[in-house]
Amino acid sequence: GGVRLRIGFIWKVLHDVARAVSGLHASRLLHRDLKPDNVIVTASGDCKLVDMGLAASVGRIAAGKKGGFVGTPKYAAPEILEGGEPSELADLY
C-alpha cells in the first residue's frame, strides 16, 4: 500500500535526477549546487532539476576559478569546501 507507493515515488525522483545530472555531465557541464531545493516535482509527477544559475562547463571553471566558493555549503563536497576544483564527482556528493 502506502509504503510501497512512497518507495516507488522516491525511486522515481532519484532516477529522474540521476538522468538529469548524467545529461549535464555528458555535456561537460556541472550544476555546482545540487540540493533538494533544486529538484521540483511537476503536477504530472515528473521530477526536474532547476536553478542552473551556477552551472558551468568543466574547462571554464578550472580556468576562471578565482572568486571563491559557490553553492550551498551544507550540500557541498568536502573537497570543494577545501578549495578543490569542481568535478562531476563533487556534483554527485
Side-chain angles (χ1 to χ4, degrees):
V3 171
R4 183 173 278 162
L5 178 65
R6 285 189 296 253
I7 291 172
F9 175 73
I10 291 167
W11 182 252
K12 180 172 178 13
V13 170
L14 290 172
H15 178 264
D16 289 354
V17 171
R19 285 189 67 188
V21 172
S22 178
L24 282 174
H25 291 173
S27 299
R28 303 288 294 149
L29 294 173
L30 300 176
H31 188 280
R32 301 197 305 162
D33 197 23
L34 289 171
K35 60 185 177 182
D37 288 347
N38 288 339
V39 176
I40 61 167
V41 180
T42 66
S44 62
D46 293 322
C47 302
K48 305 286 182 182
L49 185 59
V50 298
D51 192 2
M52 302 297 292
L54 297 178
S57 67
V58 175
R60 291 180 65 191
I61 296 169
K65 169 170 145 167
K66 296 176 187 165
F69 173 81
V70 297
T72 305
K74 180 178 177 179
Y75 296 101
E79 63 269 25
I80 300 301
L81 291 173
E82 294 171 357
E85 187 172 320
S87 69
E88 289 91 344
L89 292 176
D91 244 3
L92 296 177
Y93 177 83

